[in-house]
Amino acid sequence: MKKVGFLQRLAILVLIGIVAVAMWFLETGCLIQRFLGIPCMSCGMTRAFFAFINGNFAESFSLHPMLLSVPVLALMFLFSDKLFKGKTRITAIIILVLIILGFAVNYVFNLIGL
């Protein structure tokens, strides 16, 4: 199986960012919520990002408290060939699990209305 290189992973991240910004400007909202009627684990992330870059940090955190984990996930994705090998493997896995748990806890709080 062919390995996915750094530039290919970077292109994937850029494409995801372009789609998120396009969805924001087109006001499509969350496609999962639109079609399934329930919010996804990242609902509010785009609004939180725009609040963050506008300097509204409290609003950003209230919209999606896991916003600051996205750059960490992006870096982990970009450098996954180095992070998940050798001595850094356990640390990278622990960070990844903690971020996933953070998203899951936030999702449950959103579903029950907290």
Side-chain angles (χ1 to χ4, degrees):
M1 185 159 85
K2 187 178 176 183
K3 277 179 82 173
V4 177
F6 178 82
L7 290 178
Q8 292 162 325
R9 289 191 296 265
L10 182 61
I12 291 169
L13 290 176
V14 169
L15 183 63
I16 290 170
I18 290 170
V19 169
V21 171
M23 287 175 61
W24 170 263
F25 285 112
L26 296 174
E27 297 181 3
T28 59
C30 178
L31 296 177
I32 293 174
Q33 187 167 9
R34 177 179 284 175
F35 292 118
L36 298 179
I38 57 171
C40 69
M41 291 180 93
S42 65
C43 271
M45 190 66 75
T46 306
R47 288 176 287 143
F49 172 74
F50 281 107
F52 186 84
I53 63 172
N54 287 321
N56 302 326
F57 303 119
E59 179 186 359
S60 173
F61 186 75
S62 70
L63 287 169
H64 207 294
M66 295 302 295
L67 175 69
L68 297 179
S69 69
V70 173
V72 174
L73 287 172
L75 288 172
M76 288 179 78
F77 180 68
L78 283 174
F79 299 105
S80 61
D81 54 338
K82 293 177 180 68
L83 282 176
F84 292 98
K85 288 184 180 175
K87 295 179 181 179
T88 58
R89 176 185 294 166
I90 297 299
T91 305
I93 290 172
I94 290 171
I95 292 169
L96 191 60
V97 167
L98 289 174
I99 290 173
I100 291 169
L101 285 173
F103 270 93
V105 167
N106 181 60
Y107 183 61
V108 168
F109 283 165
N110 284 341
L111 288 178
I112 61 175
L114 293 177

